[in-house]
Amino acid sequence: MIRVQKEDFDIGGEVDALRKGRTDIGAIVSFTGTVRDGGADNPLSSMTLEHYAGMTEQELERIEKEARRRWPLAETLIIHRYGTLRPGDNIVLVITASAHRQAAFEAASFLMDYLKTNAPFWKKETGADGESWVEAKDGDDAALSRWEAED
Amino acid sequence: MTVKFLYFAWVREQTGISEEEIALPPEVKDVAGLIAWQRERGPEFAAVFGRDEIIRVAVDRKHALRDTTLDGAREIAFFPPVTGG
C-alpha cells in the first residue's frame, strides 16, 4: 500500500494495522526518514517537499510492485509526506513484513534506494542563509546500482 | 493537438511557469529535440535547458530518456534530479 500525504504518521499504529490478524508474518522491518537539522554551522528552520501529484503515486506503486516481485513479502507500506516540515519531523515511512527477516530487511532497503532516485519529490531547505534546493547525491545512484546488478 | 507541460522545483522557479499548454511543432520528435526547442524560448529557458545534463523529463508520468519519443504524449514534465526520501 502507498500513501502520499501532508499529515504526520504514527509508526507504531501503522505497524499494528499492518500485522493485525496475521499469523504468517515472522519479521517486520520499518524505516523512518526524518528532517535533519544541519547543526550549528547550517541551522535549518524548515524543509518544504514539493512533488508531482499523479506521477508520485504511480512511481511508488511501481517500486512497491517491483519489491514484491523480488522478495516474498506478506505486506508492504510506503508513506511519504509533502508540504512544509520542521527539523525532527517524519518524512517517509517504509514497512516490510515477511515470513523471515532477510526478505524484510532487503526489501526495505531496496524500496528506500529506489524511492530516493525515482519518486518525484524535491526538497527545499530554509535556513539562516535563505532558501536552497537540496541537490541529488551521487551516493544515491551508487546505492541503487547494487540492486541493478541483480536484474 | 496541445500537450500539457509541467515544471517542478527550481526548473519551475527559474522559468517562472508551473503549467502551460503547448502546441508542439511536428519536427520535435523526442526528448532531446524538445530540450533543444525549449532552449530557444527566451533567456530563462536558455539558462535552464542549457543545463542539459541535469534536466530530467517525464513523458505521461513516466521517467523518460533523451531518445524517448513524444509521439502521442499528453503530459510532459521537466524537473531536476529528485531528492525525496
Side-chain angles (χ1 to χ4, degrees), chain A residues 1-20:
Chain A
M1 193 172 26
I2 65 122
R3 298 213 305 264
V4 182
Q5 62 189 42
K6 265 191 173 168
E7 300 73 32
D8 194 14
F9 48 78
D10 170 44
I11 301 159
E14 296 296 343
V15 171
D16 287 346
L18 184 138
R19 66 186 293 186
K20 193 172 193 301

Side-chain angles (χ1 to χ4, degrees), chain A residues 10 54 93 135 141:
Chain A
D10 170 44
L93 175 66
E135 285 185 30
D141 284 333

Side-chain angles (χ1 to χ4, degrees), chain A residues 79-120:
Chain A
I79 301 177
H80 205 301
R81 297 181 68 192
Y82 64 93
T84 299
L85 307 175
R86 311 219 167 267
D89 283 354
N90 292 323
I91 304 173
V92 60
L93 175 66
V94 164
I95 305 177
T96 53
S98 186
H100 302 287
R101 72 181 185 282
Q102 190 184 357
F105 273 127
E106 288 182 6
S109 189
F110 169 89
L111 284 169
M112 278 308 303
D113 288 346
Y114 263 69
L115 183 157
K116 284 195 88 85
T117 46
N118 287 279

Side-chain angles (χ1 to χ4, degrees), chain A residues 25-36:
Chain A
I25 293 170
I28 300 169
V29 168
S30 84
F31 171 87
T32 309
T34 59
V35 181
R36 187 182 64 244

Side-chain angles (χ1 to χ4, degrees), chain A residues 50-52 54-55 58-59 80 91-92 112 115-124 133-136, chain B residues 6-10 12-13 54 56 58 60-63 75-85:
Chain A
E50 177 175 334
H51 80 113
Y52 181 176
M55 180 170 170
Q58 200 170 294
E59 277 297 301
H80 205 301
I91 304 173
V92 60
M112 278 308 303
L115 183 157
K116 284 195 88 85
T117 46
N118 287 279
F121 286 94
W122 301 273
K123 290 178 180 140
K124 185 189 229 181
W133 290 98
V134 173
E135 285 185 30
Chain B
L6 299 172
Y7 301 84
F8 292 97
W10 57 257
R12 170 178 54 74
E13 288 182 344
I54 207 167
R56 302 287 184 267
D60 291 330
R61 303 181 174 182
K62 290 192 176 67
H63 291 292
E75 184 174 295
I76 302 175
F78 305 92
F79 45 80
V82 303
T83 54

